[in-house]
Amino acid sequence: MRTTLLAALLIIPGLFVAGVLHADSVDKAALKAEAIGIVKQFGGTLKPQLKTALKEGGPAHAISVCSTTAPEIAKSLSQSTGWSVKRVSLKARNTETAMPDAWEKSVLAKFDERQAGGESAQKMAYAEVVDGQFRFMKAQGVEEVCLKCHAEKIAPETEKALQEHYADDNARGYTLGQIRGAFSLSKQL
Ligand code: HEC
């Protein structure tokens, strides 16, 4: 009787701990891989459309394309994957969709610190389980092409197109390599 009780006392918590550790490591890696796949789909759909629009009609035309395409892609990916999918920034252009919550703000601030410390945005990402949600953010760095619409100095017609679509645009003044914002994904566990 005593040994059975002792065995139970040792084995049951042991199984519990093993189960938790196991679920933790396996699920996190799989969820992260899933999130990275969705980010690639987002970028892989948006970027070619942006480039085509720029080629066809310059930045002003690309802005009107981007203003409908980007939110559409985010919405359709959210519907097809079951994840919440968006882009956020500390200096949002689309102030309806891109305002970060407290957790996103702190991650974006850490991305800025990491970038200032010399890390490239290329592979910069962060994942964490917060309040029963798996949350993942992937930084978006400023490349040459981004400057046409996110630098301090831009063409007058680009300026005009931005004012038409985004009355309270904050997404200006960026230089090469800085963190423009991030893809932010979350999934209820
Ligand atoms: C043709 C102009 C143009 C170019 C070039 C451009 N963007 Fe943007 N960007 C926009 C517009 C317009 C929005 C708002 C889209 C929306 O309403 O969702 C935006 C929004 C964003 C957002 C979402 C957060 C926010 O502030 O609304 C990120 C992140 C972003 N851009 C990053 C980039 C990066 C990185 C590049 C270069 C690879 C880039 N952009 C190039 C016009 C541009």
Side-chain angles (χ1 to χ4, degrees), residues 107-123:
V107 176
L108 284 165
K110 277 185 212 131
F111 283 169
D112 278 346
E113 275 173 33
R114 284 163 67 175
Q115 192 268 329
E119 187 179 339
S120 139
Q122 201 89 36
K123 290 199 169 158

Side-chain angles (χ1 to χ4, degrees), residues 47 50 54 59 62-63 66-67 70-71 87-89 91-94 97-98 140-141 143 145-146 148-150 162 166 171 180-182:
K47 221 169 175 187
L50 175 70
L54 279 169
I63 285 163
C66 203
S67 67
R87 294 192 302 166
V88 292
S89 174
K91 297 202 291 175
R93 170 154 292 165
N94 187 328
T97 61
Q140 265 198 294
E143 301 163 29
V145 63
C146 320
K148 287 189 198 322
C149 301
H150 291 294
L162 281 176
Y166 305 94
R180 171 61 268 274

Side-chain angles (χ1 to χ4, degrees), residues 32-75:
K32 196 172 164 189
E34 207 181 316
I36 290 170
I38 297 169
V39 165
K40 283 196 176 140
Q41 258 178 281
F42 198 144
T45 314
L46 182 59
K47 221 169 175 187
Q49 294 202 34
L50 175 70
K51 288 196 169 155
T52 308
L54 279 169
K55 226 183 192 171
E56 281 173 0
H61 167 67
I63 285 163
S64 65
V65 172
C66 203
S67 67
T68 52
T69 308
E72 266 170 24
I73 297 171
K75 201 172 155 198

